[in-house]
């Protein structure tokens, strides 16, 4: 079977027939992983980090775009650059640390040196080299990533030049980024300290889980029990977590499906008084109005296709996914908060973050254990299809519901229901974009192969 036919057999997206299915090979096939690298991660906008992570001249951070190691660096004029972390000489990494400050990046192999804008400023023993004239005509600077842009301090890049503008790519999902950025008068920042961990399962387990309300009461049952025990020894009116009282009736969960693979899950916060942001409520209303301030206190998980998520629930977390293989993923996670936050609120934010997130928290390990369990179960190659993508189908409506209307959004689909509804329709936009991008890439491969074949005859 050719690649395009095989791809089309992996997703069933049939709104009329009220069916949406994902084939299990999507999570376990190394060929599919290769398509994802070439036609998604190396062909569209991916998230890199926050501008506030490189605040000063010569600050840098390293990350990946698909398989490409890249550096984000601020030059001496304050301008940001994104270049591929590979020496032009023989390919060595020029930058080895996750973060730092360096005026020059000197390759440790043969000593070529680049400044903080990526310009080659030194080629060791050039005069004695006996280079042919053609060598001097070549550009020896680090290779710039073709598209590099920021939105409200969130930095994105694309290896491919033929992508829409970043604003168009983010589309309506920008509203949810605004809601994060507007929490501080000068935006948000990463709390110092980053956790990187790997799990033995596909990256799309994480992609789905961030907008999966269905898993919470079963996966995090022990967390809920801990909260209930804690609450017995705490003052009745002082919730210890935003999830305190999660079992109370009437908690709603909604979702918005956006274009280009993005989705948001939102809902009532059982105990908003526990939020680090709570003391700022009045000033947030004054700055942003009652509706936007109220939405800042809703529980909100945003998933920006393909590699970034922001979870504002127990605390505020930024996640970046880096797929390593069909069955392995690296996660980089940060606690984020408003710049200039009061010390007591920051302390509360960090304690809540540590309590719920991190590999040492009470929730993240349960999520990750389940991803790995799923991947182990998916080794059963004789089973073709998942049954995990149609909950909420009957509750989902095309376009905006009254909640989207309230905030002036036009999502592709909206849904609201009790938390027990356990919506799975918020996964659909990611798989639609997944299919669209890989299909476009495979078509290009095909037409290139035809041109090459014609040239050969
Ligand atoms: S590989 Fe960098 S100087 Fe040789
Ligand atoms: Fe979870």
């Amino acid at each position: 079977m050719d690649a395009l036919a095989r791809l089309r057999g992996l997703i069933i997206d049939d709104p009329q027939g009220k069916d949406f299915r994902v084939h299990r090979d999507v999570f376990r096939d190394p060929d599919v992983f290769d398509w994802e690298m070439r036609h998604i991660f190396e062909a569209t906008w991916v998230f890199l980090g926050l501008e506030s992570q490189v605040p000063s001249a010569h600050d840098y951070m390293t990350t990946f775009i698909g398989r490409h190691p890249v550096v984000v660096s601020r030059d001496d004029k304050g301008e940001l650059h994104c270049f591929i972390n590979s020496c032009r000489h023989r390919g060595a990494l020029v930058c080895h640390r996750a973060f730092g400050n360096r005026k020059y990046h000197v390759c440790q192999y043969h000593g070529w040196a680049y400044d903080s804008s990526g310009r080659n400023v030194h080629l060791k023993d050039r005069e004695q080299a006996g280079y042919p004239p053609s060598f001097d005509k070549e550009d020896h600077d680090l290779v710039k990533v073709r598209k590099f842009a920021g939105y409200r301090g969130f930095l994105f890049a694309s290896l491919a030049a033929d992508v829409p503008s970043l604003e168009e790519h983010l589309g309506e999902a920008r509203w949810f980024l605004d809601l994060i950025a507007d929490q501080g008068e000068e935006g948000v920042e990463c709390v110092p300290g980053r956790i990187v961990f790997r799990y033995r399962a596909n990256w799309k387990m994480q992609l789905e889980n961030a907008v999966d309300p269905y898993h919470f009461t079963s996966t995090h049952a022990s967390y809920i029990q801990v909260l209930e025990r804690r609450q017995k020894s705490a003052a009745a009116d002082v919730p210890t977590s935003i999830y305190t009282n999660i079992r109370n009736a009437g908690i709603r969960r909604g979702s918005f499906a956006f274009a280009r693979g993005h989705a948001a899950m939102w809902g009532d916060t059982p105990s908003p008084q526990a939020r680090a942001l709570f003391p700022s409520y009045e000033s947030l209303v004054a700055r942003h109005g009652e509706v936007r301030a109220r939405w800042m206190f809703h529980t909100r998980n945003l998933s920006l296709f393909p590699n970034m998520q922001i979870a504002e629930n127990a605390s505020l977390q930024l996640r970046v996914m880096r797929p390593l293989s069909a069955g392995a993923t690296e996660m980089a996670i940060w606690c984020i908060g408003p710049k200039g936050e009061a010390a007591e609120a920051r302390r509360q934010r960090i304690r809540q973050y540590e309590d719920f997130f991190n590999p040492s928290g009470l929730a993240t390990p349960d999520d990750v254990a389940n991803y790995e369990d799923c991947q182990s179960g998916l080794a059963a190659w004789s089973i073709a299809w998942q049954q995990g993508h149609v909950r909420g189908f009957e509750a989902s409506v095309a376009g905006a519901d009254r909640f989207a209307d309230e905030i002036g959004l036009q999502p592709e689909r909206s849904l609201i229901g009790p938390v027990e509804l356990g919506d799975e329709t918020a996964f659909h936009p990611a798989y639609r974009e997944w299919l669209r991008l890989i299909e476009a890439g495979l078509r290009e491969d095909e037409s290139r192969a035809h041109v090459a074949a014609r040239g050969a005859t």
Side-chain angles (χ1 to χ4, degrees):
M1 196 191 303
D2 73 17
L4 268 167
R6 173 146 166 62
L7 173 73
R8 290 190 196 113
L10 294 177
I11 305 283
I12 294 173
D13 180 7
D14 178 9
Q16 272 75 42
K18 299 198 171 176
D19 200 6
F20 196 102
R21 284 171 198 269
V22 177
H23 195 287
R24 291 181 166 201
D25 285 356
V26 160
F27 301 95
R28 62 191 174 193
D29 184 330
D31 291 340
V32 170
F33 179 80
D34 184 58
W35 295 344
E36 291 175 337
M37 286 294 103
R38 287 192 296 124
H39 304 313
I40 297 176
F41 282 82
E42 295 169 354
T44 189
W45 289 102
V46 300
F47 177 73
L48 302 176
L50 293 185
E51 202 177 323
S52 57
Q53 291 175 288
V54 281
S56 308
H58 312 304
D59 279 351
Y60 69 84
M61 61 180 165
T62 58
T63 183
F64 289 83
I65 302 178
R67 293 160 293 195
H68 291 59
V70 299
V71 183
V72 175
S73 170
R74 197 180 285 278
D75 69 18
D76 52 359
K77 295 181 196 67
E79 199 182 324
L80 283 169
H81 302 266
C82 181
F83 41 79
I84 295 173
N85 188 3
S86 176
C87 180
R88 295 305 298 272
H89 182 224
R90 297 251 280 278
L93 296 175
V94 296
C95 202
H96 294 87
R97 299 172 64 105
F99 296 92
N101 181 284
R102 262 206 217 147
K103 200 167 180 183
Y104 299 107
H105 298 280
V106 182
C107 180
Q108 62 192 26
Y109 197 177
H110 309 91
W112 287 24
Y114 306 88
D115 69 13
S116 54
S117 71
R119 199 167 54 92
N120 187 315
V121 291
H122 181 68
L123 210 151
K124 191 182 76 178
D125 301 335
R126 183 173 192 147
E127 293 71 30
Q128 299 92 328
Y131 280 125
S134 58
F135 181 84
D136 286 333
K137 291 200 189 99
E138 279 183 64
D139 172 4
H140 306 299
D141 297 345
L142 292 171
V143 173
K144 286 251 154 73
V145 171
R146 288 207 179 97
K147 292 279 182 173
F148 176 47
Y151 179 77
R152 303 291 313 269
F154 296 90
L155 299 173
F156 296 79
S158 165
L159 289 179
D162 58 340
V163 287
S165 70
L166 177 61
E167 302 231 331
E168 194 182 327
H169 168 75
L170 295 172
E172 298 266 292
R174 278 178 297 166
W175 192 86
F176 282 86
L177 284 182
D178 292 340
L179 215 55
I180 302 294
D182 286 339
Q183 290 179 21
E185 287 189 52
E186 292 166 35
V188 289
E189 63 184 358
C190 289
V191 172
R194 176 189 71 142
I195 301 284
V196 178
F197 64 93
R198 292 181 175 194
Y199 64 77
R200 287 163 299 194
N202 191 270
W203 64 282
K204 296 184 292 301
M205 305 275 179
Q206 176 64 52
L207 192 74
E208 290 186 357
N209 193 68
V211 288
D212 173 17
Y214 191 34
H215 79 285
F216 193 85
T217 49
S218 43
T219 294
H220 303 305
S222 59
Y223 175 67
I224 296 170
Q225 284 161 9
V226 167
L227 289 185
E228 286 170 345
R229 273 206 299 276
R230 276 186 197 158
Q231 207 53 42
K232 280 190 191 131
S233 54
D237 58 345
V238 183
T240 57
S241 160
I242 70 110
Y243 283 122
T244 301
N245 304 320
I246 182 79
R247 289 197 211 271
N248 284 5
I251 301 290
R252 298 166 303 175
R253 280 287 174 273
S255 69
F256 298 127
F258 297 116
R260 297 190 182 276
H262 315 310
M265 175 179 81
W266 69 276
D268 301 310
T269 298
S271 297
Q273 320 87 290
R275 275 215 195 291
L277 208 57
F278 194 70
S280 310
Y281 179 72
E282 297 301 332
S283 67
L284 290 167
V285 171
R287 289 212 309 274
H288 303 295
E290 188 274 330
V291 171
R292 298 192 76 230
R294 178 155 44 80
W295 273 81
M296 285 179 190
F297 285 84
H298 281 325
T299 292
R300 285 168 285 109
N301 282 12
L302 172 67
S303 187
L304 292 184
F305 190 83
N307 73 325
M308 185 262 233
Q309 298 179 332
I310 295 185
E312 181 145 28
N313 43 61
S315 184
L316 181 54
Q317 185 185 49
L318 170 68
R319 305 172 181 147
V320 183
M321 286 104 78
R322 180 186 163 213
L324 301 172
S325 68
T329 305
E330 184 177 276
M331 298 288 301
I333 55 173
W334 288 264
C335 176
I336 56 176
K339 285 183 190 167
E341 184 169 46
E344 177 52 27
R346 181 55 62 95
R347 189 198 65 78
Q348 186 184 357
R349 175 181 301 277
I350 295 171
R351 291 292 90 83
Q352 288 176 339
Y353 183 86
E354 293 165 337
D355 194 41
F356 191 78
F357 296 119
N358 276 351
S360 56
L362 288 168
T364 298
D366 293 332
D367 290 317
V368 169
N370 284 328
Y371 307 160
E372 295 191 343
D373 256 13
C374 288
Q375 198 74 27
S376 299
L378 292 173
W381 60 267
S382 61
I383 303 174
W385 297 95
Q386 300 283 58
Q387 296 181 348
H389 298 83
V390 285
R391 283 183 75 94
F393 222 107
E394 298 290 340
S396 168
V397 297
D401 61 8
R402 66 192 165 93
F403 299 100
D405 281 340
E406 177 183 51
I407 53 180
L409 289 186
Q410 270 300 324
E412 295 197 330
R413 298 197 72 84
S414 308
L415 172 146
I416 186 73
V419 69
E420 296 81 8
L421 176 71
D423 175 42
E424 292 169 344
T425 66
F427 308 160
H428 298 180
Y431 287 106
R432 290 195 180 113
E433 183 69 354
W434 183 92
L435 191 63
R436 186 184 76 81
L437 288 171
I438 297 178
E439 188 164 349
L442 291 179
R443 275 182 196 287
E444 242 175 68
D445 284 355
E446 216 173 55
S447 59
R448 250 188 250 120
H450 281 144
V451 170
R454 272 207 305 275
T457 53

